[in-house]
Amino acid sequence: MTGEGYFEPEKMWFVDFVEKEYWPKWAKKNLAHTTLDTYRRYLDARILPAFKYLRMDQVKPKHIMDFLDNLSEEGMRLDKVRDKDGKLVTKQGKLSGATIEYHHRILKSIFKFAIKLKVLKENPMDDIEKPKFKNKKIEVYTLEEASKLIKCLESEPLHWRIIIKLAITAGLRRSELLGLEFKHFNYENKIMHVEQAVTYTKDEGYQVHEIKKGSGEANKRDIVISESLIPEIKKLELQRKKERIAIQDKDKWEKGKYNFLLCDETGKPYHPSAIKNWWQRFIKRHNLKYINLHALRHTSATLLINEGVHAKIISERLGHSNIKTTMNIYGHALRQADEIATAKLDAALSLDKKANQSS
C-alpha cells in the first residue's frame, strides 16, 4: 500500500476481492437476504468462473462486454427441470434479458465498491451500458376473468380464499401476503396495514422483516380493503386462535410471537413455494387461464387503471417508491386508458355538437 492509501491492484485477484472484501464488507451488510441469495448464485455460477484468472486491474471493459454478450448465447442456463421420464435435465433456451441485466448490476456493484476502497483508480464499468431488453408482455386477467376467479375461490379453503382475494384486490407481493398477521387489520375502518414480509433462503431459513421493496413511506402502507372480506378474515382469526390454544407453548414456532394468516398449526409461516404450488393446482382444477401468481398484482393495477383510478393512488396501493415506477411498468395500460378516455370525451363533445346543430 502506498502513502496515499492506495492498494497495489496487481496483488489482488478479482475472486479474492469479491470473497474477502466485497462480500463480507458490502454485500452482507447492505442486501436483503433473498437478494444476497441471488447474488451468491450468480457469482458462483457465472461471474467468478469468468473472471477468476484476472487481477482487478486486468479487468477491462472488453472483458465485461464479452462476458455479458456471452450470457445471451444458448447453453448459459443452469437451472434444472424434469423431463418426461422424471430425470433432471438442464433447461433449454437462453437467459432472459432481466437475468443478464442482473449480472450487469452485480458487476457494477463490485467495481463501485473497489473504487470506494481505492483498489482501483478507474472503474471498467463506466463505459459499459446497461443491457437493453424488451419487457415481456404482462399477462393479466380481464374483469370477466377476474370475476370468474373470485367465484371459483368460494369452494376453496378459507385461508387461500382470503389470500388470493387480497392479492387481486390489494396488489400485494407474495412476501407481503406471507407476512400478514391478524393485527394488521383494522376491521372498524376497513384498513389493512402492510408493513412486514416473510422470506426464506436455504442459508438463513425464514426471515420476518420490514418490507425492503420501494423506499421511504412506500415500504409501509395502509390499504382500504373490501368490506365483504372482513367477516372471512375474522372467521379465519378465530380458527387460528383455536389452533394456537390446542398447541402447547413449547411446540409453537418462535414461541408464538407471530399470528400469520398463512401458517401451519404451530404458527410457522408457509414456505414461499406453497402459494405458487397451490395456485398452479387451483388453476388446473378450475380450468382457468394461467398467469403466474405475481401477475395478480399486475391484474389489480390494470383493473384499477381501466376503472379510471389515478396513477398516484395505484402507486401508493402497490407500494412503489414513486409514481415513475408505476408509469414505467403500466405505461401501456395507462396510455390505453387515456386513449379510451379521450375517445369518450370526443364522442361526448360530438354528441353535444350534433345536439346544438339540430336545435
Side-chain angles (χ1 to χ4, degrees), residues 306-324:
N306 292 339
E307 290 300 312
V309 177
H310 194 281
K312 175 65 175 174
I313 301 299
I314 297 171
S315 178
E316 291 174 352
R317 285 178 68 89
L318 295 178
H320 286 160
S321 56
N322 55 61
I323 194 172
K324 184 178 179 181

Side-chain angles (χ1 to χ4, degrees), residues 56 59-61 64 111 115 120 122-128:
M56 288 296 287
V59 181
K60 304 301 180 185
I64 298 169
F111 285 104
I115 293 296
L120 292 177
E122 296 182 358
N123 190 337
M125 292 296 295
D126 284 347
D127 298 318
I128 307 296

